[in-house]
Amino acid sequence: MFRSVTKQQDPKTEVQVTINDSVVVVAPGTTVWAAMALAGETATRVSPVNQQVRSAYCAMGVCFECMVEIDGMPNRQACLTEVSEGMQVNRQVITEATIAANPQLAHTGAEND
Ligand code: FES
């Protein structure tokens, strides 16, 4: 469904990232969201309010629907974050129980749900 408009370049200029346990190779400067779309992994998070699977909407940093966990850190905007070599990206699943245990996770974009 999605394909990169960047021509494949010298392999030394490619960046390898892992998205939900799948290895993806993309061009430097690619956003995490674009890498996810190229890998067919378009679900960014699960809503803690209604457990719906969410995905990027605006792709420009406004809606906060693209929150993912990057290298173990939650609440990172996939549409604004560029990939880096060896980056680990996972779908963000924050439940009411994890929010109760970690109140700093309360602002996950759930205000938009
Ligand atoms: S898709 Fe809207 S903030 Fe990232």
Side-chain angles (χ1 to χ4, degrees):
M1 177 153 87
F2 294 97
R3 66 180 177 78
S4 175
V5 294
T6 305
K7 291 185 178 180
Q8 292 299 316
Q9 302 173 354
D10 181 336
K12 294 176 186 168
T13 63
E14 295 176 337
V15 177
Q16 182 173 304
V17 298
T18 303
I19 299 172
N20 298 325
D21 298 325
S22 297
V23 175
V24 181
V25 177
V26 295
T30 301
T31 65
V32 169
W33 163 244
M36 291 177 75
L38 289 168
E41 294 279 348
T42 56
T44 55
R45 66 185 183 94
V46 175
S47 168
V49 175
N50 57 19
Q51 288 72 51
Q52 285 185 332
V53 175
R54 312 299 287 213
S55 186
Y57 183 70
C58 72
M60 59 184 194
V62 176
C63 72
F64 288 80
E65 291 290 352
C66 64
M67 302 292 238
V68 293
E69 180 184 293
I70 298 176
D71 294 334
M73 182 177 291
N75 296 332
R76 302 284 309 274
Q77 285 177 281
C79 72
L80 296 182
T81 306
E82 289 187 6
V83 295
S84 62
E85 184 63 33
M87 180 181 273
Q88 302 279 326
V89 180
N90 289 304
R91 181 180 305 153
Q92 180 166 296
V93 180
I94 296 178
T95 64
E96 290 183 6
T98 55
I99 291 173
N102 304 285
Q104 73 277 11
L105 298 177
H107 302 289
T108 62
E111 299 85 2
N112 298 331
D113 291 337

